[in-house]
Amino acid sequence: MCKTLVALVLFAVPALAQERLSAYDALRVVGVHVNRDAVNHVISVTGTHGDPQPETWRILIDDRRGNGGVREIQIKNGQVASDRPSSVVGSSEGATIKTSRLNLDSSGAFQVASHIAQKSGTRFDSASYTLRTDQHGDPVWIVTLHATNGQPVGTIHIGANRGTVTRTEGMFAGATMEDVQTEREVPRNVRDENGQEENGEERGPFYGVRQRMRPYFRRAQDEANGMFDRVRRSFSDYINR
């Protein structure tokens, strides 16, 4: 069972270095290790199988002005465990996270994801995190929940700017958020209650699931939005304090 851990900035306190850091804490370590401006060139932040925070954070930095490529820095126990060129293929241009728009730390993302899991009846043992930009260039947390055997049981996409749950996978009776929300229907001829054929709309294989799950998902989404007001944490305020 996941336990709530208090994420602290511990890299300056060796005696407490075993405490798990949040993503914000790991980014602060990067800012100290490289330079303050490095946090403005982050491509992604990932951590796996956290309880609820992961042991190691893997941070990709766009360092083309430095070594001409992408730099991978791993943070573990409040310290830099490795710093090396990344094997990421392709340009990172346009993919860097606007940290000024970050209002949700990994600790807050866990609370939102945990709430969604509870409302959907999904049991889990650990959580993996990815912070990156979405197709609109906005920062998004992708939190994947795992069972005790390590298998994924659900994934939640949470906007890191406003805390909006934009997508779920493998939850709410196996329906994705698109299944729950979309009213897409396939035209066909159907019969009315008197058996007469008429032009109608086939509601598709997920129609029943959507109808049953939509109110549960919307309620959970509304509650998650309300929770964001409690877990909101500005990265700009954090890094400048």
Side-chain angles (χ1 to χ4, degrees), residues 70-116:
V70 177
R71 187 172 177 178
E72 178 184 313
I73 302 174
Q74 293 191 15
I75 307 298
K76 182 177 181 180
N77 295 333
Q79 300 177 351
V80 175
S82 68
D83 182 351
R84 60 193 177 190
S86 173
S87 59
V88 170
V89 177
S91 172
S92 62
E93 185 175 0
T96 55
I97 297 168
K98 295 180 176 65
T99 51
S100 62
R101 303 180 68 179
L102 282 179
N103 291 309
L104 192 65
D105 199 353
S106 56
S107 55
F110 172 78
Q111 292 187 53
V112 174
S114 180
H115 179 77
I116 293 294

Side-chain angles (χ1 to χ4, degrees), residues 101-175:
R101 303 180 68 179
L102 282 179
N103 291 309
L104 192 65
D105 199 353
S106 56
S107 55
F110 172 78
Q111 292 187 53
V112 174
S114 180
H115 179 77
I116 293 294
Q118 179 185 16
K119 289 299 181 180
S120 68
T122 302
R123 298 176 63 85
F124 69 97
D125 183 69
S126 64
S128 295
Y129 306 83
T130 297
L131 174 64
R132 60 172 176 78
T133 58
D134 63 14
Q135 64 271 28
H136 304 294
D138 295 321
V140 60
W141 277 110
I142 303 172
V143 183
T144 299
L145 306 177
H146 304 272
T148 53
N149 62 3
Q151 293 298 312
V153 294
T155 300
I156 304 98
H157 295 235
I158 310 166
N161 184 21
R162 300 183 178 180
T164 303
V165 176
T166 59
R167 182 178 179 185
T168 66
E169 299 169 358
M171 308 175 81
F172 294 96

Side-chain angles (χ1 to χ4, degrees), residues 179-196:
D179 297 329
V180 173
Q181 290 191 320
T182 301
E183 291 290 350
R184 181 176 55 197
E185 297 177 338
V186 180
R188 71 165 188 177
N189 290 332
V190 296
R191 295 182 182 277
D192 62 19
E193 60 183 4
N194 297 318
Q196 299 297 314

